[in-house]
Amino acid sequence: MKHPLLTLVLIVFSCLSMQAQRKSDLLEEIAQLKMKMDSINDEVVDARKNEKVAVTKAESFETQVTELQNANNTLMKNLNSFAEVSNKNSNMVTTAMASLEAKENQLKVIKNTIATNDSTTIVVLTNVKQTMGENAKIGVSEGAVVVSSDLSSLYGSDTGTALTAEGEAWVEKIANILIANPSTSATIEGLSMTGDLATPAKQSMAIATVLQSKFAIAAERMTAIGRDGNLKEGVQVNIHPDFNKFYLMVREQMKN
């Protein structure tokens, strides 16, 4: 009877001992699991903190990207505007250069014409000296070669209006000069000291009439006038380039 009881006690003790050991193991396992859970919780907290930092950085990056995009769009607009202005300026410069070139060509034509007129004056002056002789009254004034004569030799008196034989010979020399220089014109001036302009006008007209009727000098090449000689009387024939033609050429050039 004692042995079975002892055996039962041993069995119960063994069971209690094993149960106590299992409980200890379980508590230890629970403690380890709690430590792991705490560690995981810490990692979760850190992860959430990092997530917040990452979200903040991402939002900051998005803001920066948006600002950069806006800045880029503004730069592109400015670049396009600059390109448009540059093109306009380029077109304006091209137009200005073309205008300057046209003006330079106009001035070149005018200068060449003036140079040609100057050359014509030199040629006419040489021709006049050869034709009129050493004793002739010859001068140059305002681009014209001026040939002068007194009234007595041309008309026989200061008030005469019909050419003498000597006067016609003088006019013939003038005609030869005009024929030899067909690009020239003549302004015939009767000069008066008395204030009477009618008589010098008739005297100059007499020369123009002989030049036209006897020597076939075209009327449009001649102008006959009487004017105040300012203490000088006589007749002056100004042989010069066709100023009207030159004026019309310059006016036409200025239109372009």
Side-chain angles (χ1 to χ4, degrees):
M1 192 67 182
K2 290 182 181 179
H3 291 291
L5 182 60
L6 180 59
T7 300
L8 180 59
V9 169
L10 289 174
I11 291 171
V12 171
F13 181 77
S14 296
C15 290
L16 291 173
S17 177
M18 289 177 63
Q19 186 175 4
Q21 186 177 3
R22 286 180 182 176
K23 184 177 181 180
S24 175
D25 292 339
L26 288 173
L27 290 173
E28 183 178 355
E29 187 175 352
I30 289 170
Q32 291 178 356
L33 290 173
K34 186 178 180 181
M35 289 177 59
K36 290 181 179 181
M37 184 176 292
D38 291 341
S39 176
I40 291 172
N41 287 333
D42 292 339
E43 291 179 0
V44 169
V45 171
D46 292 339
R48 287 177 178 174
K49 290 181 180 179
N50 293 333
E51 181 184 9
K52 290 182 179 180
V53 172
V55 169
T56 301
K57 287 184 177 180
E59 291 176 351
S60 175
F61 289 151
E62 288 179 358
T63 301
Q64 292 179 24
V65 168
T66 301
E67 291 175 352
L68 289 173
Q69 288 176 341
N70 292 335
N72 183 65
N73 292 334
T74 301
L75 288 174
M76 290 301 296
K77 290 180 180 178
N78 292 338
L79 183 61
N80 291 333
S81 299
F82 176 79
E84 291 178 0
V85 172
S86 179
N87 290 334
K88 289 180 180 178
N89 290 339
S90 178
N91 292 335
M92 291 175 61
V93 169
T94 301
T95 302
M97 291 298 293
S99 178
L100 286 175
E101 185 176 358
K103 294 299 181 184
E104 287 179 357
N105 290 334
Q106 291 174 348
L107 290 175
K108 185 177 181 181
V109 171
I110 295 172
K111 287 181 179 179
N112 289 340
T113 304
I114 293 174
T116 300
N117 289 343
D118 291 343
S119 299
T120 299
T121 300
I122 294 172
V123 171
V124 171
L125 179 61
T126 303
N127 190 208
V128 168
K129 288 180 178 179
Q130 293 172 347
T131 304
M132 302 303 295
E134 296 180 356
N135 297 325
K137 297 178 181 178
I138 303 170
V140 177
S141 176
E142 297 179 354
V145 178
V146 183
V147 185
S148 305
S149 181
D150 62 88
L151 298 175
S152 295
S153 61
L154 292 178
Y155 307 101
S157 68
D158 293 346
T159 58
T161 57
L163 287 167
T164 64
E166 183 181 353
E168 288 190 1
W170 186 86
V171 172
E172 182 177 2
K173 292 179 180 179
I174 297 295
N176 291 333
I177 295 169
L178 293 174
I179 292 170
N181 299 277
S183 63
T184 61
S185 298
T187 301
I188 306 164
E189 299 176 332
L191 307 178
S192 172
M193 294 190 302
T194 64
D196 172 25
L197 300 183
T199 299
K202 292 178 181 179
Q203 291 169 340
S204 63
M205 184 59 68
I207 294 175
T209 299
V210 172
L211 287 171
Q212 182 180 3
S213 61
K214 190 173 182 178
F215 301 102
I217 303 300
E220 57 267 20
R221 293 181 62 190
M222 298 180 291
T223 302
I225 60 173
R227 69 176 181 86
D228 185 357
N230 191 22
L231 302 179
K232 182 170 66 174
E233 66 179 5
V235 171
Q236 286 186 175
V237 178
N238 302 290
I239 302 172
H240 52 74
D242 189 344
F243 293 141
N244 288 331
K245 183 178 179 180
F246 176 73
Y247 166 74
L248 292 174
M249 183 275 294
V250 172
R251 187 176 69 176
E252 192 64 27
Q253 286 291 325
M254 291 299 100
K255 288 180 181 179
N256 300 329

